[in-house]
Amino acid sequence: MSRASRLLALLQQLRRRRSPVSGPTLAKELGVSIRTLYRDIATLQEQGADIQGEPGLGYVLRPGFTLPPLMFSVDEIEALVLGSRWVAARSDARLGAAAENAVAKIRAVLPASLRDSVDAATSTVPFVEPPEPVRVDVADLRAAIRAEHKITIAYRDGGRTETRRTIWPISIGVFERVLVVAAFCELRQDYRGFRLDRIVALEPSGTRYPRKRAVMVKEFREREMARSTARN
């Protein structure tokens, strides 16, 4: 492995982690000596990578240092293209357009030898009918999820009975023709899934809900897994 490739591989290992990782662990993963690892970390720091830590404590790469698209392999490019096609076919129009724009930006900066891989991706997604139309702006819902804010919705169930609820949204699930927001419902005092095509109106509150979204997502997944196991 060339030194340039080794430095990129080190950046990739650091980028994958959110918590500090020890020098010996990194050295073992990269197949280099601990002395070489320390030299490589010093080189990356000199080049602007915000790597914090020291021997004995571990190292972490702070956000803001961008890896060049040149390091994408053909398989990684294909995964990005396939993912963007899946999102474009099944998500809301705004997110679908964002997925296509992201691939276009990546394609524009790739070397010619890899650029053709974007157009010649061997995998594709099956054709599906357009998702059920959504009345509300899904961007407002995504913003509330990122900010961990409560929202109030007017929701119409399958029997067309309409209720007004305050929910704590944590994630949006994309199914074949339906988008579903997973949320804690204050009315039911439990987690619920709400189809976006049945949300008649949405009002952002600007008020944070009292729990961390990451904790709630973990709790929601554990409950869903338990329910699935019980059914089987």
Side-chain angles (χ1 to χ4, degrees):
M1 181 187 295
S2 68
R3 186 162 188 265
S5 297
R6 193 175 71 240
L7 292 175
L8 288 174
L10 173 55
L11 277 174
Q12 184 71 352
Q13 290 293 336
L14 289 168
R15 195 182 191 199
R16 288 169 51 194
R17 293 174 164 90
R18 296 185 179 181
S19 57
V21 57
S22 70
T25 297
L26 286 170
K28 182 178 180 180
E29 291 178 349
L30 296 169
V32 299
S33 68
I34 192 68
R35 181 178 295 181
T36 297
L37 176 79
Y38 290 152
R39 284 202 303 264
D40 288 349
I41 288 176
T43 297
L44 291 173
Q45 289 172 328
E46 291 172 359
Q47 294 177 356
D50 188 5
I51 300 173
Q52 298 185 2
E54 58 185 68
L57 296 179
Y59 297 90
V60 63
L61 176 66
R62 297 299 181 188
F65 191 81
T66 305
L67 293 178
L70 299 178
M71 76 173 299
F72 287 151
S73 68
V74 173
D75 286 341
E76 288 169 338
I77 292 171
E78 183 142 340
L80 290 170
V81 172
L82 182 62
S84 71
R85 288 173 177 170
W86 193 93
V87 171
R90 290 168 171 79
S91 188
D92 60 281
R94 186 164 180 171
L95 198 60
E100 293 176 349
N101 289 341
V103 171
K105 288 179 180 178
I106 292 172
R107 186 184 187 283
V109 297
L110 286 171
S113 59
L114 291 178
R115 194 177 303 133
D116 292 341
S117 299
V118 176
D119 302 322
T122 60
S123 301
T124 188
V125 295
F127 171 79
V128 294
E129 295 182 31
E132 293 292 336
V134 176
R135 299 179 178 86
V136 297
D137 189 345
V138 186
D140 288 341
L141 182 55
R142 285 196 292 268
I145 292 173
R146 295 182 185 119
E148 299 182 348
H149 282 178
K150 299 180 181 183
I151 60 172
T152 299
I153 62 172
Y155 190 73
R156 188 173 295 160
D157 64 20
R160 302 193 64 79
T161 300
E162 188 172 312
T163 57
R164 187 175 176 85
R165 309 183 185 214
T166 297
I167 63 174
W168 309 354
I170 58 174
S171 65
I172 298 175
V174 182
F175 299 92
E176 286 298 322
R177 298 195 61 214
V178 177
L179 302 178
V180 177
V181 57
F184 182 84
C185 176
E186 291 188 354
L187 177 65
R188 301 301 184 191
Q189 286 296 296
D190 198 1
Y191 291 103
R192 290 289 188 272
F194 299 94
R195 289 177 47 162
L196 267 60
D197 59 301
R198 293 180 179 175
I199 297 179
V200 180
L202 181 156
E203 298 176 13
S205 70
T207 303
R208 288 180 65 93
Y209 42 76
R211 302 183 63 194
K212 287 289 186 181
R213 173 175 170 260
V215 174
M216 295 174 64
V217 168
K218 183 174 183 292
E219 186 176 77
F220 173 76
R221 288 174 176 169
E222 288 174 348
R223 291 193 183 187
E224 288 300 299
M225 186 175 297
R227 289 171 180 167
S228 177
T229 300
R231 285 195 297 267
N232 295 332

